[in-house]
Short mmCIF file of all heavy atoms in Angstrom, two decimals:
data_model
loop_
_atom_site.label_atom_id
_atom_site.label_comp_id
_atom_site.label_asym_id
_atom_site.label_seq_id
_atom_site.Cartn_x
_atom_site.Cartn_y
_atom_site.Cartn_z
N MET A 1 74.59 150.86 -30.96
CA MET A 1 74.63 149.44 -31.22
C MET A 1 75.58 148.79 -30.22
O MET A 1 76.67 149.28 -29.98
CB MET A 1 75.11 149.19 -32.65
CG MET A 1 75.20 147.72 -32.99
SD MET A 1 76.01 147.44 -34.56
CE MET A 1 74.60 147.06 -35.56
N GLY A 2 75.15 147.69 -29.63
CA GLY A 2 75.98 146.98 -28.66
C GLY A 2 77.04 146.13 -29.32
O GLY A 2 77.14 146.06 -30.55
N ARG A 3 77.82 145.49 -28.49
CA ARG A 3 78.88 144.62 -29.00
C ARG A 3 78.28 143.36 -29.60
O ARG A 3 77.31 142.82 -29.09
CB ARG A 3 79.82 144.24 -27.87
CG ARG A 3 80.61 145.42 -27.37
CD ARG A 3 81.51 145.01 -26.27
NE ARG A 3 82.47 144.03 -26.76
CZ ARG A 3 83.74 144.01 -26.41
NH1 ARG A 3 84.18 144.88 -25.56
NH2 ARG A 3 84.55 143.11 -26.89
N ARG A 4 78.91 142.90 -30.69
CA ARG A 4 78.45 141.66 -31.32
C ARG A 4 79.50 140.59 -31.11
O ARG A 4 80.70 140.86 -31.07
CB ARG A 4 78.26 141.87 -32.82
CG ARG A 4 77.11 142.76 -33.13
CD ARG A 4 76.70 142.74 -34.57
NE ARG A 4 77.80 142.62 -35.50
CZ ARG A 4 77.63 142.52 -36.81
NH1 ARG A 4 76.45 142.55 -37.32
NH2 ARG A 4 78.68 142.41 -37.60
N ASN A 5 79.05 139.40 -31.02
CA ASN A 5 79.91 138.25 -30.88
C ASN A 5 80.72 138.08 -32.17
O ASN A 5 80.21 138.26 -33.27
CB ASN A 5 79.04 137.02 -30.63
CG ASN A 5 79.83 135.79 -30.29
OD1 ASN A 5 81.04 135.75 -30.45
ND2 ASN A 5 79.11 134.78 -29.81
N ILE A 6 81.99 137.73 -32.04
CA ILE A 6 82.87 137.56 -33.20
C ILE A 6 82.33 136.46 -34.12
O ILE A 6 82.51 136.53 -35.34
CB ILE A 6 84.33 137.30 -32.78
CG1 ILE A 6 85.29 137.38 -33.97
CG2 ILE A 6 84.46 135.95 -32.10
CD1 ILE A 6 85.56 138.74 -34.46
N LEU A 7 81.68 135.45 -33.56
CA LEU A 7 81.11 134.38 -34.38
C LEU A 7 79.98 134.91 -35.26
O LEU A 7 79.82 134.48 -36.41
CB LEU A 7 80.61 133.23 -33.51
CG LEU A 7 81.69 132.50 -32.72
CD1 LEU A 7 81.08 131.45 -31.82
CD2 LEU A 7 82.72 131.90 -33.65
N LYS A 8 79.20 135.85 -34.75
CA LYS A 8 78.14 136.48 -35.55
C LYS A 8 78.75 137.29 -36.68
O LYS A 8 78.24 137.28 -37.81
CB LYS A 8 77.27 137.37 -34.64
CG LYS A 8 76.17 138.10 -35.36
CD LYS A 8 75.15 137.15 -35.92
CE LYS A 8 74.01 137.97 -36.55
NZ LYS A 8 73.47 137.32 -37.73
N VAL A 9 79.86 137.97 -36.42
CA VAL A 9 80.55 138.73 -37.46
C VAL A 9 81.05 137.78 -38.55
O VAL A 9 80.90 138.06 -39.75
CB VAL A 9 81.73 139.55 -36.86
CG1 VAL A 9 82.56 140.19 -37.94
CG2 VAL A 9 81.20 140.60 -35.90
N ILE A 10 81.62 136.65 -38.15
CA ILE A 10 82.12 135.67 -39.12
C ILE A 10 80.97 135.12 -39.96
O ILE A 10 81.09 134.96 -41.18
CB ILE A 10 82.90 134.54 -38.41
CG1 ILE A 10 84.21 135.11 -37.85
CG2 ILE A 10 83.17 133.37 -39.35
CD1 ILE A 10 84.99 134.14 -36.97
N GLU A 11 79.82 134.82 -39.33
CA GLU A 11 78.65 134.34 -40.07
C GLU A 11 78.21 135.37 -41.10
O GLU A 11 77.90 135.02 -42.24
CB GLU A 11 77.49 134.06 -39.12
CG GLU A 11 77.61 132.81 -38.32
CD GLU A 11 76.45 132.62 -37.36
OE1 GLU A 11 75.50 133.45 -37.38
OE2 GLU A 11 76.47 131.65 -36.62
N ASP A 12 78.18 136.65 -40.71
CA ASP A 12 77.77 137.71 -41.63
C ASP A 12 78.74 137.84 -42.80
O ASP A 12 78.33 138.06 -43.94
CB ASP A 12 77.65 139.04 -40.89
CG ASP A 12 76.49 139.07 -39.91
OD1 ASP A 12 75.59 138.21 -39.99
OD2 ASP A 12 76.48 139.98 -39.05
N ILE A 13 80.03 137.68 -42.53
CA ILE A 13 81.03 137.76 -43.59
C ILE A 13 80.84 136.61 -44.58
O ILE A 13 80.90 136.81 -45.80
CB ILE A 13 82.46 137.75 -43.01
CG1 ILE A 13 82.73 139.06 -42.25
CG2 ILE A 13 83.50 137.56 -44.12
CD1 ILE A 13 84.04 139.06 -41.48
N ILE A 14 80.59 135.41 -44.07
CA ILE A 14 80.39 134.25 -44.95
C ILE A 14 79.16 134.45 -45.83
O ILE A 14 79.19 134.20 -47.04
CB ILE A 14 80.28 132.95 -44.13
CG1 ILE A 14 81.64 132.62 -43.51
CG2 ILE A 14 79.81 131.78 -45.00
CD1 ILE A 14 81.61 131.49 -42.51
N LYS A 15 78.06 134.93 -45.24
CA LYS A 15 76.85 135.19 -46.02
C LYS A 15 77.10 136.23 -47.10
O LYS A 15 76.66 136.08 -48.24
CB LYS A 15 75.71 135.66 -45.10
CG LYS A 15 75.13 134.60 -44.23
CD LYS A 15 74.07 135.17 -43.32
CE LYS A 15 73.61 134.18 -42.29
NZ LYS A 15 72.67 134.77 -41.32
N LEU A 16 77.82 137.27 -46.75
CA LEU A 16 78.12 138.34 -47.70
C LEU A 16 79.01 137.85 -48.84
O LEU A 16 78.76 138.13 -50.01
CB LEU A 16 78.78 139.52 -46.97
CG LEU A 16 79.14 140.72 -47.83
CD1 LEU A 16 77.88 141.37 -48.39
CD2 LEU A 16 79.92 141.72 -47.01
N LEU A 17 80.06 137.10 -48.50
CA LEU A 17 80.98 136.62 -49.53
C LEU A 17 80.36 135.53 -50.40
O LEU A 17 80.83 135.28 -51.50
CB LEU A 17 82.29 136.13 -48.91
CG LEU A 17 83.19 137.23 -48.34
CD1 LEU A 17 84.43 136.62 -47.70
CD2 LEU A 17 83.59 138.23 -49.41
N ASN A 18 79.30 134.86 -49.91
CA ASN A 18 78.57 133.92 -50.75
C ASN A 18 77.85 134.66 -51.87
O ASN A 18 77.72 134.15 -52.98
CB ASN A 18 77.56 133.10 -49.94
CG ASN A 18 78.17 131.85 -49.36
OD1 ASN A 18 79.08 131.28 -49.93
ND2 ASN A 18 77.66 131.44 -48.22
N LYS A 19 77.36 135.87 -51.57
CA LYS A 19 76.64 136.67 -52.56
C LYS A 19 77.59 137.39 -53.50
O LYS A 19 77.36 137.46 -54.70
CB LYS A 19 75.76 137.72 -51.86
CG LYS A 19 74.64 137.14 -51.05
CD LYS A 19 73.88 138.23 -50.34
CE LYS A 19 72.87 137.65 -49.37
NZ LYS A 19 72.24 138.69 -48.55
N GLU A 20 78.67 137.94 -52.96
CA GLU A 20 79.63 138.70 -53.74
C GLU A 20 80.83 137.83 -54.07
O GLU A 20 81.16 136.91 -53.34
CB GLU A 20 80.10 139.93 -52.95
CG GLU A 20 78.99 140.86 -52.52
CD GLU A 20 78.32 141.58 -53.67
OE1 GLU A 20 79.00 141.85 -54.68
OE2 GLU A 20 77.12 141.86 -53.56
N LYS A 21 81.53 138.15 -55.14
CA LYS A 21 82.71 137.37 -55.52
C LYS A 21 83.91 137.70 -54.66
O LYS A 21 84.56 136.84 -54.10
CB LYS A 21 83.05 137.63 -57.00
CG LYS A 21 81.96 137.25 -57.95
CD LYS A 21 81.81 135.77 -58.04
CE LYS A 21 80.76 135.39 -59.05
NZ LYS A 21 80.05 134.21 -58.75
N GLU A 22 84.21 139.00 -54.55
CA GLU A 22 85.43 139.44 -53.87
C GLU A 22 85.19 140.86 -53.35
O GLU A 22 84.67 141.70 -54.08
CB GLU A 22 86.58 139.41 -54.87
CG GLU A 22 87.92 139.68 -54.32
CD GLU A 22 88.99 139.50 -55.37
OE1 GLU A 22 88.93 140.21 -56.40
OE2 GLU A 22 89.88 138.67 -55.16
N LEU A 23 85.57 141.10 -52.09
CA LEU A 23 85.35 142.41 -51.50
C LEU A 23 86.57 142.84 -50.69
O LEU A 23 87.31 142.01 -50.18
CB LEU A 23 84.13 142.39 -50.57
CG LEU A 23 82.76 142.22 -51.22
CD1 LEU A 23 81.70 142.04 -50.15
CD2 LEU A 23 82.44 143.41 -52.09
N SER A 24 86.72 144.15 -50.55
CA SER A 24 87.78 144.70 -49.72
C SER A 24 87.34 144.69 -48.26
O SER A 24 86.16 144.52 -47.94
CB SER A 24 88.10 146.13 -50.15
OG SER A 24 87.01 146.98 -49.86
N VAL A 25 88.30 144.91 -47.38
CA VAL A 25 88.01 144.94 -45.94
C VAL A 25 87.01 146.07 -45.65
O VAL A 25 86.06 145.88 -44.89
CB VAL A 25 89.30 145.14 -45.12
CG1 VAL A 25 88.99 145.30 -43.65
CG2 VAL A 25 90.25 143.98 -45.33
N LYS A 26 87.21 147.21 -46.27
CA LYS A 26 86.31 148.35 -46.05
C LYS A 26 84.90 148.04 -46.51
O LYS A 26 83.93 148.33 -45.80
CB LYS A 26 86.84 149.59 -46.78
CG LYS A 26 85.99 150.81 -46.55
CD LYS A 26 86.53 152.02 -47.26
CE LYS A 26 85.62 153.20 -46.98
NZ LYS A 26 85.87 154.32 -47.84
N ALA A 27 84.75 147.45 -47.68
CA ALA A 27 83.43 147.11 -48.20
C ALA A 27 82.73 146.08 -47.32
O ALA A 27 81.52 146.19 -47.06
CB ALA A 27 83.55 146.59 -49.62
N ILE A 28 83.49 145.11 -46.83
CA ILE A 28 82.91 144.09 -45.94
C ILE A 28 82.45 144.73 -44.64
O ILE A 28 81.33 144.50 -44.19
CB ILE A 28 83.92 142.95 -45.68
CG1 ILE A 28 84.20 142.16 -46.96
CG2 ILE A 28 83.41 142.02 -44.58
CD1 ILE A 28 85.34 141.18 -46.85
N SER A 29 83.31 145.54 -44.03
CA SER A 29 82.96 146.13 -42.73
C SER A 29 81.77 147.08 -42.85
O SER A 29 80.93 147.13 -41.96
CB SER A 29 84.17 146.84 -42.12
OG SER A 29 84.57 147.92 -42.92
N GLU A 30 81.67 147.81 -43.95
CA GLU A 30 80.51 148.69 -44.14
C GLU A 30 79.24 147.90 -44.37
O GLU A 30 78.18 148.27 -43.87
CB GLU A 30 80.76 149.65 -45.31
CG GLU A 30 81.78 150.71 -45.00
CD GLU A 30 82.12 151.59 -46.20
OE1 GLU A 30 81.67 151.26 -47.32
OE2 GLU A 30 82.85 152.58 -46.00
N SER A 31 79.33 146.80 -45.12
CA SER A 31 78.15 146.00 -45.42
C SER A 31 77.59 145.29 -44.19
O SER A 31 76.36 145.20 -44.04
CB SER A 31 78.48 144.95 -46.48
OG SER A 31 78.83 145.57 -47.69
N ILE A 32 78.46 144.80 -43.33
CA ILE A 32 77.97 144.08 -42.14
C ILE A 32 77.87 144.99 -40.93
O ILE A 32 77.51 144.54 -39.84
CB ILE A 32 78.85 142.85 -41.82
CG1 ILE A 32 80.26 143.25 -41.42
CG2 ILE A 32 78.86 141.88 -42.96
CD1 ILE A 32 81.09 142.10 -40.88
N LYS A 33 78.17 146.28 -41.12
CA LYS A 33 78.09 147.29 -40.05
C LYS A 33 78.94 146.90 -38.84
O LYS A 33 78.45 146.82 -37.71
CB LYS A 33 76.65 147.53 -39.65
CG LYS A 33 75.81 148.12 -40.77
CD LYS A 33 74.39 148.33 -40.34
CE LYS A 33 73.59 148.99 -41.42
NZ LYS A 33 73.18 148.10 -42.48
N SER A 34 80.21 146.64 -39.12
CA SER A 34 81.16 146.27 -38.09
C SER A 34 82.38 147.17 -38.22
O SER A 34 82.67 147.69 -39.30
CB SER A 34 81.56 144.80 -38.27
OG SER A 34 82.53 144.44 -37.33
N GLN A 35 83.12 147.33 -37.13
CA GLN A 35 84.35 148.11 -37.20
C GLN A 35 85.38 147.36 -38.01
O GLN A 35 85.42 146.13 -38.02
CB GLN A 35 84.88 148.38 -35.80
CG GLN A 35 83.99 149.30 -35.00
CD GLN A 35 84.58 149.61 -33.64
OE1 GLN A 35 85.61 149.07 -33.26
NE2 GLN A 35 83.92 150.48 -32.90
N TRP A 36 86.25 148.09 -38.71
CA TRP A 36 87.21 147.43 -39.60
C TRP A 36 88.22 146.60 -38.83
O TRP A 36 88.71 145.61 -39.34
CB TRP A 36 87.88 148.42 -40.54
CG TRP A 36 88.75 149.44 -39.89
CD1 TRP A 36 88.38 150.66 -39.43
CD2 TRP A 36 90.14 149.32 -39.62
NE1 TRP A 36 89.46 151.31 -38.89
CE2 TRP A 36 90.55 150.51 -38.99
CE3 TRP A 36 91.08 148.33 -39.84
CZ2 TRP A 36 91.86 150.72 -38.58
CZ3 TRP A 36 92.39 148.55 -39.44
CH2 TRP A 36 92.76 149.73 -38.82
N GLU A 37 88.54 146.97 -37.59
CA GLU A 37 89.47 146.16 -36.80
C GLU A 37 88.89 144.78 -36.52
O GLU A 37 89.59 143.77 -36.63
CB GLU A 37 89.80 146.84 -35.46
CG GLU A 37 90.54 148.14 -35.56
CD GLU A 37 89.62 149.34 -35.45
OE1 GLU A 37 88.38 149.16 -35.60
OE2 GLU A 37 90.12 150.44 -35.24
N THR A 38 87.62 144.74 -36.18
CA THR A 38 86.94 143.47 -35.92
C THR A 38 86.85 142.65 -37.20
O THR A 38 87.06 141.43 -37.19
CB THR A 38 85.53 143.72 -35.36
OG1 THR A 38 85.63 144.59 -34.23
CG2 THR A 38 84.85 142.43 -34.96
N THR A 39 86.57 143.32 -38.31
CA THR A 39 86.48 142.64 -39.59
C THR A 39 87.81 142.02 -39.98
O THR A 39 87.87 140.87 -40.43
CB THR A 39 86.01 143.62 -40.68
OG1 THR A 39 84.77 144.22 -40.28
CG2 THR A 39 85.83 142.92 -42.01
N ILE A 40 88.91 142.75 -39.77
CA ILE A 40 90.23 142.22 -40.09
C ILE A 40 90.56 141.02 -39.22
O ILE A 40 91.08 140.01 -39.70
CB ILE A 40 91.32 143.32 -39.96
CG1 ILE A 40 91.17 144.32 -41.10
CG2 ILE A 40 92.71 142.72 -39.95
CD1 ILE A 40 92.09 145.51 -41.01
N LYS A 41 90.24 141.10 -37.93
CA LYS A 41 90.50 139.96 -37.03
C LYS A 41 89.73 138.73 -37.49
O LYS A 41 90.27 137.62 -37.52
CB LYS A 41 90.09 140.31 -35.60
CG LYS A 41 91.04 141.25 -34.91
CD LYS A 41 90.55 141.55 -33.52
CE LYS A 41 91.41 142.62 -32.86
NZ LYS A 41 90.91 143.00 -31.54
N ALA A 42 88.45 138.92 -37.85
CA ALA A 42 87.64 137.79 -38.31
C ALA A 42 88.19 137.22 -39.61
O ALA A 42 88.28 135.99 -39.77
CB ALA A 42 86.19 138.24 -38.49
N LEU A 43 88.58 138.09 -40.55
CA LEU A 43 89.11 137.63 -41.83
C LEU A 43 90.45 136.92 -41.66
O LEU A 43 90.72 135.91 -42.34
CB LEU A 43 89.24 138.80 -42.81
CG LEU A 43 87.92 139.33 -43.37
CD1 LEU A 43 88.13 140.68 -44.04
CD2 LEU A 43 87.30 138.33 -44.33
N GLU A 44 91.30 137.42 -40.78
CA GLU A 44 92.59 136.75 -40.52
C GLU A 44 92.37 135.36 -39.94
O GLU A 44 93.06 134.41 -40.31
CB GLU A 44 93.45 137.59 -39.57
CG GLU A 44 94.00 138.85 -40.18
CD GLU A 44 95.03 138.59 -41.27
OE1 GLU A 44 95.71 137.55 -41.24
OE2 GLU A 44 95.15 139.45 -42.16
N PHE A 45 91.40 135.22 -39.03
CA PHE A 45 91.07 133.91 -38.47
C PHE A 45 90.54 132.98 -39.56
O PHE A 45 90.96 131.82 -39.65
CB PHE A 45 90.05 134.05 -37.34
CG PHE A 45 89.54 132.72 -36.86
CD1 PHE A 45 90.33 131.90 -36.07
CD2 PHE A 45 88.27 132.29 -37.19
CE1 PHE A 45 89.87 130.67 -35.64
CE2 PHE A 45 87.80 131.06 -36.77
CZ PHE A 45 88.60 130.25 -35.98
N MET A 46 89.65 133.50 -40.39
CA MET A 46 89.08 132.69 -41.47
C MET A 46 90.15 132.28 -42.47
O MET A 46 90.10 131.18 -43.02
CB MET A 46 87.95 133.46 -42.16
CG MET A 46 86.75 133.70 -41.27
SD MET A 46 85.59 134.89 -41.95
CE MET A 46 84.93 133.99 -43.33
N LYS A 47 91.13 133.13 -42.69
CA LYS A 47 92.24 132.82 -43.59
C LYS A 47 93.12 131.73 -42.98
O LYS A 47 93.58 130.82 -43.68
CB LYS A 47 93.05 134.09 -43.85
CG LYS A 47 94.17 133.94 -44.84
CD LYS A 47 94.85 135.28 -45.04
CE LYS A 47 96.17 135.13 -45.72
NZ LYS A 47 96.88 136.40 -45.80
N LYS A 48 93.31 131.80 -41.67
CA LYS A 48 94.15 130.81 -40.98
C LYS A 48 93.55 129.41 -41.05
O LYS A 48 94.27 128.43 -41.12
CB LYS A 48 94.31 131.23 -39.50
CG LYS A 48 95.40 130.49 -38.77
CD LYS A 48 95.51 130.96 -37.34
CE LYS A 48 96.13 132.34 -37.29
NZ LYS A 48 96.43 132.78 -35.92
N ILE A 49 92.22 129.31 -41.04
CA ILE A 49 91.58 127.99 -41.11
C ILE A 49 91.16 127.64 -42.55
O ILE A 49 90.34 126.75 -42.76
CB ILE A 49 90.38 127.90 -40.15
CG1 ILE A 49 89.30 128.91 -40.49
CG2 ILE A 49 90.81 128.04 -38.71
CD1 ILE A 49 88.01 128.70 -39.75
N ASN A 50 91.72 128.36 -43.53
CA ASN A 50 91.51 128.11 -44.95
C ASN A 50 90.05 128.22 -45.39
O ASN A 50 89.56 127.42 -46.18
CB ASN A 50 92.06 126.73 -45.35
CG ASN A 50 93.56 126.71 -45.33
OD1 ASN A 50 94.20 127.71 -45.65
ND2 ASN A 50 94.12 125.58 -44.95
N LEU A 51 89.36 129.22 -44.88
CA LEU A 51 87.98 129.46 -45.28
C LEU A 51 87.90 130.54 -46.35
O LEU A 51 87.02 130.49 -47.21
CB LEU A 51 87.16 129.87 -44.05
CG LEU A 51 85.67 129.73 -44.12
CD1 LEU A 51 85.27 128.30 -44.47
CD2 LEU A 51 85.05 130.13 -42.80
N VAL A 52 88.82 131.51 -46.31
CA VAL A 52 88.87 132.57 -47.30
C VAL A 52 90.28 132.67 -47.88
O VAL A 52 91.23 132.17 -47.30
CB VAL A 52 88.47 133.96 -46.72
CG1 VAL A 52 87.04 133.97 -46.26
CG2 VAL A 52 89.40 134.39 -45.63
N LYS A 53 90.35 133.30 -49.05
CA LYS A 53 91.66 133.58 -49.63
C LYS A 53 91.79 135.08 -49.84
O LYS A 53 90.79 135.80 -49.94
CB LYS A 53 91.86 132.82 -50.94
CG LYS A 53 90.85 133.12 -52.02
CD LYS A 53 91.09 132.26 -53.22
CE LYS A 53 89.96 132.48 -54.23
NZ LYS A 53 90.13 131.65 -55.41
N GLU A 54 93.02 135.54 -49.88
CA GLU A 54 93.29 136.97 -49.97
C GLU A 54 94.20 137.24 -51.16
O GLU A 54 95.07 136.44 -51.49
CB GLU A 54 93.99 137.44 -48.69
CG GLU A 54 94.44 138.87 -48.73
CD GLU A 54 95.23 139.29 -47.50
OE1 GLU A 54 95.55 138.42 -46.66
OE2 GLU A 54 95.53 140.48 -47.38
N ARG A 55 93.96 138.37 -51.81
CA ARG A 55 94.88 138.83 -52.85
C ARG A 55 94.99 140.34 -52.73
O ARG A 55 94.14 140.99 -52.13
CB ARG A 55 94.46 138.39 -54.24
CG ARG A 55 93.32 139.17 -54.84
CD ARG A 55 93.11 138.79 -56.30
NE ARG A 55 92.04 139.59 -56.87
CZ ARG A 55 92.22 140.77 -57.47
NH1 ARG A 55 93.42 141.28 -57.58
NH2 ARG A 55 91.20 141.43 -57.96
N GLN A 56 96.05 140.88 -53.33
CA GLN A 56 96.26 142.32 -53.27
C GLN A 56 95.51 142.99 -54.41
O GLN A 56 95.45 142.48 -55.52
CB GLN A 56 97.74 142.65 -53.37
CG GLN A 56 98.53 142.19 -52.18
CD GLN A 56 99.99 142.55 -52.29
OE1 GLN A 56 100.44 143.02 -53.31
NE2 GLN A 56 100.72 142.32 -51.22
N GLY A 57 94.96 144.16 -54.10
CA GLY A 57 94.23 144.94 -55.10
C GLY A 57 95.08 146.11 -55.55
O GLY A 57 96.29 145.98 -55.76
N LYS A 58 94.44 147.27 -55.66
CA LYS A 58 95.14 148.48 -56.10
C LYS A 58 96.24 148.86 -55.14
O LYS A 58 96.13 148.68 -53.94
CB LYS A 58 94.16 149.64 -56.19
CG LYS A 58 93.09 149.51 -57.22
CD LYS A 58 92.26 150.76 -57.21
CE LYS A 58 90.80 150.41 -57.33
NZ LYS A 58 89.94 151.53 -57.09
N LYS A 59 97.31 149.41 -55.70
CA LYS A 59 98.41 149.88 -54.86
C LYS A 59 98.44 151.40 -54.91
O LYS A 59 98.97 151.99 -55.84
CB LYS A 59 99.75 149.32 -55.36
CG LYS A 59 99.87 147.82 -55.20
CD LYS A 59 101.19 147.32 -55.69
CE LYS A 59 101.27 145.81 -55.56
NZ LYS A 59 102.51 145.27 -56.08
N THR A 60 97.82 152.04 -53.92
CA THR A 60 97.89 153.50 -53.81
C THR A 60 98.74 153.79 -52.59
O THR A 60 99.84 153.29 -52.49
CB THR A 60 96.48 154.10 -53.70
OG1 THR A 60 95.79 153.48 -52.61
CG2 THR A 60 95.67 153.88 -54.97
N ASN A 61 98.25 154.57 -51.67
CA ASN A 61 98.99 154.83 -50.43
C ASN A 61 99.12 153.56 -49.59
O ASN A 61 100.12 153.35 -48.92
CB ASN A 61 98.31 155.91 -49.59
CG ASN A 61 98.35 157.25 -50.26
OD1 ASN A 61 99.20 157.50 -51.12
ND2 ASN A 61 97.44 158.13 -49.89
N LYS A 62 98.10 152.75 -49.64
CA LYS A 62 98.06 151.50 -48.89
C LYS A 62 97.57 150.41 -49.82
O LYS A 62 96.66 150.64 -50.62
CB LYS A 62 97.11 151.68 -47.70
CG LYS A 62 97.16 150.58 -46.70
CD LYS A 62 96.30 150.95 -45.51
CE LYS A 62 96.42 149.90 -44.45
NZ LYS A 62 95.61 150.19 -43.29
N ILE A 63 98.14 149.23 -49.73
CA ILE A 63 97.73 148.13 -50.61
C ILE A 63 96.36 147.63 -50.19
O ILE A 63 96.13 147.33 -49.02
CB ILE A 63 98.77 146.99 -50.58
CG1 ILE A 63 100.10 147.48 -51.11
CG2 ILE A 63 98.26 145.80 -51.38
CD1 ILE A 63 101.22 146.48 -50.97
N GLU A 64 95.45 147.55 -51.15
CA GLU A 64 94.10 147.08 -50.89
C GLU A 64 94.11 145.56 -50.72
O GLU A 64 94.75 144.85 -51.49
CB GLU A 64 93.20 147.47 -52.06
CG GLU A 64 91.75 147.11 -51.88
CD GLU A 64 90.92 147.53 -53.07
OE1 GLU A 64 91.39 147.36 -54.21
OE2 GLU A 64 89.80 147.99 -52.85
N ARG A 65 93.41 145.07 -49.71
CA ARG A 65 93.32 143.64 -49.45
C ARG A 65 91.93 143.17 -49.87
O ARG A 65 90.92 143.65 -49.36
CB ARG A 65 93.54 143.35 -47.97
CG ARG A 65 94.91 143.76 -47.49
CD ARG A 65 95.03 143.66 -45.99
NE ARG A 65 95.05 142.25 -45.58
CZ ARG A 65 95.11 141.86 -44.31
NH1 ARG A 65 95.12 142.75 -43.34
NH2 ARG A 65 95.13 140.58 -44.01
N LEU A 66 91.88 142.21 -50.79
CA LEU A 66 90.63 141.67 -51.28
C LEU A 66 90.46 140.24 -50.81
O LEU A 66 91.38 139.44 -50.91
CB LEU A 66 90.60 141.73 -52.82
CG LEU A 66 90.73 143.12 -53.43
CD1 LEU A 66 90.89 143.01 -54.93
CD2 LEU A 66 89.55 143.99 -53.07
N PHE A 67 89.27 139.92 -50.31
CA PHE A 67 89.00 138.60 -49.77
C PHE A 67 87.85 137.95 -50.53
O PHE A 67 86.90 138.62 -50.95
CB PHE A 67 88.63 138.68 -48.29
CG PHE A 67 89.80 139.01 -47.40
CD1 PHE A 67 90.13 140.32 -47.11
CD2 PHE A 67 90.58 138.01 -46.86
CE1 PHE A 67 91.20 140.63 -46.30
CE2 PHE A 67 91.66 138.29 -46.05
CZ PHE A 67 91.97 139.60 -45.76
N SER A 68 87.94 136.63 -50.68
CA SER A 68 86.87 135.84 -51.28
C SER A 68 86.86 134.46 -50.61
O SER A 68 87.86 134.05 -50.02
CB SER A 68 87.06 135.72 -52.79
OG SER A 68 88.28 135.06 -53.07
N LEU A 69 85.74 133.76 -50.73
CA LEU A 69 85.63 132.42 -50.16
C LEU A 69 86.41 131.44 -51.01
O LEU A 69 86.45 131.56 -52.24
CB LEU A 69 84.18 131.98 -50.07
CG LEU A 69 83.32 132.63 -49.01
CD1 LEU A 69 81.89 132.11 -49.11
CD2 LEU A 69 83.87 132.36 -47.63
N LYS A 70 87.01 130.45 -50.37
CA LYS A 70 87.67 129.37 -51.10
C LYS A 70 86.61 128.41 -51.58
O LYS A 70 85.63 128.16 -50.90
CB LYS A 70 88.68 128.65 -50.21
CG LYS A 70 89.95 129.40 -50.02
CD LYS A 70 90.99 128.50 -49.42
CE LYS A 70 92.33 129.23 -49.43
NZ LYS A 70 93.39 128.39 -48.92
N LYS A 71 86.83 127.85 -52.74
CA LYS A 71 85.88 126.88 -53.31
C LYS A 71 86.23 125.49 -52.90
O LYS A 71 87.29 125.08 -52.71
CB LYS A 71 85.88 126.99 -54.84
CG LYS A 71 85.47 128.34 -55.34
CD LYS A 71 84.02 128.57 -55.17
CE LYS A 71 83.71 130.00 -55.65
NZ LYS A 71 82.44 130.40 -55.57
#
């Protein structure tokens, strides 16, 4: 698979989060078939422009980051 434009990744994340209530970074990256680094960059940008909100999930070895669209 070739490289995808970051805007296409953001579009896919928005479509996915419209269907689902809240997802982790891993679940989002697996669903849109993108690397998790790219997914985190897109989600951080979307958070900066107030498009998504983040909350902490389970606390195991690493704190789970859950994202959802702002209403």
Side-chain angles (χ1 to χ4, degrees):
M1 179 189 256
R3 292 180 63 140
R4 291 193 324 176
N5 188 347
I6 191 74
L7 296 176
K8 178 65 176 145
V9 173
I10 291 173
E11 285 178 3
D12 291 344
I13 291 172
I14 291 171
K15 287 177 189 174
L16 181 64
L17 289 178
N18 272 329
K19 294 177 188 173
E20 303 292 329
K21 299 289 183 212
E22 187 175 59
L23 291 172
S24 68
V25 175
K26 182 179 180 193
I28 293 170
S29 64
E30 288 175 352
S31 296
I32 65 171
K33 296 180 177 78
S34 177
Q35 292 183 355
W36 65 271
E37 295 98 344
T38 307
T39 304
I40 289 175
K41 286 179 186 177
L43 287 166
E44 289 293 332
F45 172 74
M46 293 167 69
K47 185 177 165 186
K48 194 179 288 187
I49 62 170
N50 290 326
L51 200 56
V52 296
K53 59 184 174 181
E54 175 185 7
R55 77 172 183 90
Q56 293 181 352
K58 295 182 222 169
K59 293 181 182 177
T60 55
N61 293 338
K62 190 173 184 181
I63 297 173
E64 183 180 40
R65 298 172 71 182
L66 300 172
F67 288 90
S68 61
L69 287 178
K70 283 194 171 182
K71 300 287 177 180

